């Protein structure tokens, strides 16, 4: 592998290529990173390897490269795989979910490997599995990554959302979430602050961008039933959670899995967001910047963008460049609420 090729790959992907001989028979890659691994695998592996990813941009990249790919809440394949490789997730809780997702699609006595960057927390994998019927043994340590084999009995395949309740401005909501979804199992302080500054949204098409478990969407629809609600996220775990949240509260809305702003509808009267600034383990401002710069083209005249961000993030300058102005509505607990209005001209 050339130096330029290795720069396009995460450490975990480089480690997989180093141990490609361990993939015997039909193999499933679970939650690979957003990198160029699909283009670096030998072409004869396209029939051998399939991919499960809850990240729609990752899934699209593998599909474009000619691999069979499944997204959604769990892998959907007709065959059973003899080998699985799990890419160690940012959320340790998500590893349990990934193992539950595997059970229905693995052949008996299938080989299971876990790979991850040294900084991802994968070093704790053996200890993490101690309370289960699984054990992990390190097979390789190179390229700033680790390669483990997992032995034992997989957990039952029952996948249940975690539920919790919050009360916001006298509106009680029952929220559903899955591991790996932003602010899983609790309401983060930034979103809580944002929800105090949405009284201007009373009608029209409204988008909750990067919706996570759907708390913003549910709050908006519960407080203003006449709005035409949309919620989107790049994660199909998040969109499944948001759909469950809306249903649990008797609310209606359109939930979309999308990489960036959804294609339809063409315009919104209001967009609300707590946008992400991570891709996997790494800080990544590109998603938020692309989102902010696209918003003026997707808002109706007089429409609003309201978002929350950690104080240290460079969003204010992007907002001012994109809209020509930016208003700070509030600052508290290390977060800032920004609002921009699209000119009516």
């Amino acid at each position: 592998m050339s130096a330029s090729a290795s720069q396009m790959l995460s450490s975990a992907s480089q480690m997989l290529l180093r141990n490609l001989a361990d993939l015997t028979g039909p193999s499933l890659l679970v939650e690979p990173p957003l990198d160029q691994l699909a283009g670096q695998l030998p072409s004869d592996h396209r029939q051998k390897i399939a991919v499960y990813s809850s990240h729609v941009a990752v899934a699209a990249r593998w599909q474009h490269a000619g691999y069979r790919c499944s997204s959604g809440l769990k892998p959907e394949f007709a065959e059973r795989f003899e080998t699985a490789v799990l890419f160690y997730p940012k959320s340790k809780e998500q590893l349990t979910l990934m193992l539950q997702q595997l059970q229905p699609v693995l052949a008996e006595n299938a080989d299971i490997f876990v790979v991850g960057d040294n900084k991802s927390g994968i070093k704790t994998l053996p200890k993490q599995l101690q309370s289960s019927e699984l054990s992990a043994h390190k097979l390789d340590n190179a390229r700033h990554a680790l390669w483990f084999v997992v032995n034992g009995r997989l957990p039952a395949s029952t996948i249940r959302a975690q539920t919790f309740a919050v009360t916001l401005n006298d509106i009680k909501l029952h929220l559903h979430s899955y591991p790996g979804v932003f602010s899983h199992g609790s309401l983060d302080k930034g979103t809580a602050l944002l929800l105090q500054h949405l009284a201007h949204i009373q009608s029209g098409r409204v988008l909750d961008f990067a919706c996570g478990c759907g708390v913003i969407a549910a709050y908006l629809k519960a407080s203003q039933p006449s709005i035409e609600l949309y919620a989107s996220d790049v994660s199909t775990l998040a969109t499944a959670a948001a759909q469950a949240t809306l249903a649990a509260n008797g609310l209606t809305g359109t939930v979309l899995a999308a990489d960036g702003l959804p294609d339809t509808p063409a315009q919104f009267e209001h967009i609300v967001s707590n946008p992400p600034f991570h891709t996997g383990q790494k800080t990544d401002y590109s998603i938020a910047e692309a989102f902010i710069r696209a918003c003026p083209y997707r808002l109706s005249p007089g429409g609003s963008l309201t978002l929350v961000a950690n104080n240290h993030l460079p969003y204010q300058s992007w907002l001012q460049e994109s809209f020509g102005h930016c208003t700070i509505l509030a600052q508290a607990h290390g977060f800032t609420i920004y609002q921009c209005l699209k000119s009516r001209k």
Side-chain angles (χ1 to χ4, degrees):
M1 181 170 55
S2 68
S4 60
S6 66
Q7 291 172 0
M8 298 186 292
L9 295 177
S10 68
S11 297
S13 292
Q14 292 180 51
M15 177 61 90
L16 180 140
L17 290 176
R18 176 182 164 95
N19 290 278
L20 204 55
D22 285 347
L23 276 62
T24 57
S27 302
L28 179 65
L29 307 186
V30 181
E31 301 287 14
L34 185 62
D35 65 6
Q36 301 298 324
L37 178 60
Q40 296 297 320
L41 286 167
S43 59
D44 59 356
H45 280 58
R46 286 192 179 89
Q47 297 305 314
K48 175 181 177 179
I49 289 176
V51 175
Y52 166 74
S53 176
S54 61
H55 191 292
V56 296
V58 173
R61 181 166 293 184
W62 283 89
Q63 287 173 331
H64 182 74
Y67 289 85
R68 291 170 295 139
C69 192
S70 174
S71 197
L73 187 56
K74 58 185 179 180
E76 298 285 354
F77 294 99
E79 69 185 292
R80 287 181 173 257
F81 298 93
E82 296 175 16
T83 304
V85 179
L86 283 65
F87 287 79
Y88 194 79
K90 179 181 177 181
S91 161
K92 289 188 177 183
E93 279 186 281
Q94 191 178 352
L95 180 67
T96 300
L97 173 63
M98 291 163 72
L99 292 167
Q100 290 173 331
Q101 291 169 318
L102 271 184
Q103 200 268 348
V105 295
L106 288 192
E108 190 175 356
N109 299 319
D111 294 319
I112 302 173
F113 301 96
V114 180
V115 62
D117 184 283
N118 286 342
K119 297 180 181 179
S120 68
I122 192 174
K123 294 177 182 179
T124 66
L125 179 62
K127 183 177 180 181
Q128 189 178 347
L129 296 179
Q130 282 180 352
S131 60
S132 69
E133 296 183 60
L134 297 169
S135 61
H137 304 280
K138 183 172 64 177
L139 298 180
D140 198 4
N141 181 357
R143 304 185 188 279
H144 308 290
L146 294 170
W147 180 261
F148 283 90
V149 64
V150 173
N151 298 304
R153 182 181 297 179
L154 285 170
S157 61
T158 303
I159 298 173
R160 295 189 179 93
Q162 180 174 334
T163 60
F164 60 105
V166 297
T167 300
L168 306 159
N169 299 336
D170 297 325
I171 295 175
K172 186 174 183 179
L173 297 172
H174 298 278
L175 306 178
H176 289 237
S177 185
Y178 296 101
V181 175
F182 173 69
S183 197
H184 172 57
S186 64
L187 179 65
D188 70 287
K189 291 181 179 180
T191 299
L193 181 64
L194 176 63
L195 294 174
Q196 303 297 320
H197 296 86
L198 301 179
H200 62 287
I201 299 176
Q202 299 176 0
S203 62
R205 293 180 298 271
V206 182
L207 173 66
D208 174 8
F209 174 78
C211 63
C213 74
V215 59
I216 296 173
Y219 175 80
L220 286 167
K221 189 66 176 179
S223 58
Q224 297 292 342
S226 64
I227 67 170
E228 186 178 341
L229 176 68
Y230 295 84
S232 72
D233 202 288
V234 73
S235 165
T236 54
L237 296 178
T239 56
Q243 288 172 331
T245 291
L246 291 176
N249 294 281
L251 303 171
T252 58
T254 301
V255 182
L256 303 163
D259 180 18
L261 287 166
D263 293 336
T264 57
Q267 290 193 309
F268 301 93
E269 275 66 55
H270 303 282
I271 299 174
V272 182
S273 185
N274 184 346
F277 59 95
H278 288 95
T279 298
Q281 304 285 342
K282 296 182 178 180
T283 298
D284 182 359
Y285 298 154
S286 64
I287 300 169
E289 182 177 8
F291 160 68
I292 287 170
R293 297 197 185 283
C295 279
Y297 303 98
R298 300 298 300 278
L299 283 170
S300 302
S304 71
L305 167 63
T306 310
L307 63 82
V308 62
N310 296 73
N311 288 344
H312 71 276
L313 297 175
Y315 292 2
Q316 187 172 8
S317 61
W318 299 337
L319 290 163
Q320 289 174 332
E321 290 169 7
S322 300
F323 285 87
H325 67 280
C326 176
T327 300
I328 294 177
L329 298 183
Q331 289 183 313
H333 312 300
F335 295 94
T336 299
I337 308 298
Y338 299 103
Q339 186 175 88
C340 297
L341 304 178
K342 181 175 179 178
S343 172
R344 292 186 179 274
K345 296 181 181 180

